[in-house]
Amino acid sequence: MPRPILATFDLAALTHNLGVARRLAPNAKVLAVIKADAYGHGMLRAAAALAGAEGFAVLRVEEGVALREAGFKQTILPLEGFFSEEELPLLAQHRIATVLHDTHQADLLERVKLPSKVDIFLKLNTGMNRLGFTPEAFPAVLQRLQACPNVGSITLISHFACADESVGIASQLECFQRTTQGLSFPRSLANSATVLRYPQAHAEWVRPGIMLYGASPFTDETAQEIGLRPVMTLTSRVIAVQNLQVGEIAGYGGLFRAERPTRVGTVACGYADGYPRHAPTGTPILVSGKRTRTLGRVSMDMLFADLTEIPEARVGSPVTLWGNGLPVEEVAQAAGTIGYELLCALAQRVPVVEMAGGED
Ligand SMILES: *Cc1c(COP(=O)(O)O)cnc(C)c1O
């Protein structure tokens, strides 16, 4: 038997979660966000399960080319746009759109001769201050693009910094509306949190990411409460059991020291599999379907689970690190991070199985 760690992808859950986004934003087209290898789920695998979306948001132009080569006909949008002049012919040739967020991109676009026009998602900085034109700079670049023969359609795009927090989107939305008043271009504003909480900002294109993978963007509402189903479940098995006396330690640094007789299971999963090394003692984990806690320091290939209250657990018992039965957000929160990071960090060495059959 191979090392027992496994990532199971429930592709029917991806399709189900797309349906949730669609029902929440019935009048919007969906640009399914599949950057970062579809948040660790595999870009082409995810795109196939999300083929009902009208478009895909990726990070790099090459990812867009790979989608075209795999036969996808939808709108494709690299979220940081192009980085150099050499990428522009690829955009034109493969009908890949681009975010345009900076004047140097407009300069390049004006300078090249292209075989066909490129569709532009013109990015406004409405307060996040990551990418995009300020409201002051926006009218001039819009005018330049409208005059540029290489430009096809124009969509206006912005991104919210605090849609998942109590601060919300009000001031950024107000800035967007003020800046684009009187213009009739299609608009795209909504990440998952905005799709879920702010229908007034759904506009023509929504851009859900994390919710498609069945995780919640919020700390005060779970994926299950939203009606989402987890797509990735990371499982492994107990490969050794140790009985610790009071005062004995488990693992590097002796970070866990038994204060009572403790039955410790060694699990075949470590930080080289993508499990967060910073997950402290007490991080939730399932053994034989029962919820327990991790113990001590996560090592490269192994971690420890407390089996004291699970007497039936032994070598070979199944372990769930996250996914079905244990939301990735909960594990992330215990480790001081977010579900997004854990999903994206799933290591190449973890074998993958696809589960197509889930009910919907
Ligand atoms: C990643 C990203 C999204 C998706 O965000 P989620 O929180 O995963 O829904 C949408 N828009 C932009 C610009 C992004 O970078």
Side-chain angles (χ1 to χ4, degrees):
M1 199 180 86
R3 186 167 176 259
I5 193 166
L6 195 63
T8 304
F9 292 117
D10 179 352
L11 302 182
L14 260 176
T15 311
H16 165 88
N17 297 333
L18 174 63
V20 173
R22 228 182 242 306
R23 280 193 292 284
L24 287 163
N27 301 316
K29 291 187 277 187
V30 176
L31 202 51
V33 180
I34 55 171
K35 63 190 179 190
D37 204 23
Y39 295 42
H41 294 70
M43 183 183 75
L44 292 176
R45 173 187 299 126
L50 296 169
E54 287 82 3
F56 295 112
V58 295
L59 185 65
R60 294 167 300 166
V61 173
E62 305 97 274
E63 293 161 359
V65 173
L67 284 167
R68 284 285 178 257
E69 284 172 351
F72 291 97
K73 305 275 189 265
Q74 289 92 333
T75 295
I76 294 175
L77 180 67
L79 286 169
E80 294 174 0
F82 55 97
F83 297 88
S84 66
E85 197 167 330
E86 296 82 74
E87 289 179 307
L88 280 165
L90 280 176
L91 295 178
Q93 181 193 340
H94 295 279
R95 290 183 307 101
I96 297 170
T98 181
V99 163
L100 193 137
H101 65 84
D102 189 86
T103 42
H104 93 275
Q105 291 173 318
D107 297 343
L108 292 177
L109 195 57
E110 284 173 339
R111 201 180 305 151
V112 293
K113 191 156 170 40
L114 295 176
S116 55
K117 294 176 188 293
V118 175
D119 294 333
I120 303 293
F121 283 64
L122 177 56
K123 186 130 191 185
L124 264 89
N125 173 9
T126 54
M128 183 168 180
N129 293 316
R130 192 172 67 172
L131 294 181
F133 294 92
T134 60
E136 296 70 41
F138 168 72
V141 72
L142 178 62
Q143 212 165 42
R144 279 178 69 185
L145 294 178
Q146 286 180 295
C148 176
N150 287 327
V151 171
S153 69
I154 296 176
T155 302
L156 305 179
I157 180 171
S158 192
H159 194 49
F160 296 127
C162 302
D164 55 334
E165 289 170 25
S166 57
V167 177
I169 65 164
S171 87
Q172 282 194 256
L173 180 60
E174 197 262 324
C175 173
F176 184 86
Q177 284 164 342
R178 187 170 7 97
T179 308
T180 63
Q181 207 163 29
L183 300 175
S184 58
F185 300 100
R187 302 153 298 157
S188 177
L189 299 163
N191 59 359
S192 296
T194 307
V195 169
L196 291 161
R197 293 211 170 149
Y198 300 104
Q200 68 272 33
H202 285 170
E204 284 70 34
W205 282 100
V206 292
R207 303 191 305 272
I210 193 74
M211 70 178 291
L212 299 177
Y213 307 101
S216 171
F218 306 116
T219 50
D220 61 351
E221 193 177 12
T222 67
Q224 196 175 7
E225 285 164 348
I226 299 167
L228 301 170
R229 284 165 39 191
V231 178
M232 180 196 299
T233 297
L234 182 62
T235 57
S236 189
R237 290 184 187 275
V238 173
I239 59 168
V241 176
Q242 326 288 345
N243 290 293
L244 268 55
Q245 305 302 312
V246 173
E248 290 188 306
I249 61 121
Y252 286 122
L255 220 60
F256 174 74
R257 182 177 298 272
E259 286 173 4
R260 52 172 189 162
T262 304
R263 207 160 157 261
V264 175
T266 303
V267 176
C269 176
Y271 61 79
D273 298 300
Y275 195 91
R277 182 174 173 278
H278 289 102
T281 290
T283 301
I285 186 168
L286 304 184
V287 179
S288 300
K290 291 191 176 150
R291 199 181 162 99
T292 180
R293 56 178 190 146
T294 64
L295 298 176
R297 192 170 274 164
V298 174
S299 46
M300 186 180 284
D301 308 314
M302 287 168 271
L303 56 78
F304 301 105
D306 188 346
L307 307 183
T308 312
E309 306 296 330
I310 312 177
E312 70 273 27
R314 52 184 167 73
V315 170
S317 291
V319 174
T320 297
L321 288 315
W322 62 67
N324 238 331
L326 181 59
V328 68
E329 304 93 299
E330 260 187 68
V331 178
Q333 199 162 13
T337 182
I338 53 176
Y340 297 70
E341 191 181 15
L342 301 194
L343 296 176
C344 289
L346 182 75
Q348 279 293 323
R349 79 178 193 188
V350 176
V352 160
V353 290
E354 295 180 5
M355 191 175 95
E359 84 289 2
D360 189 30

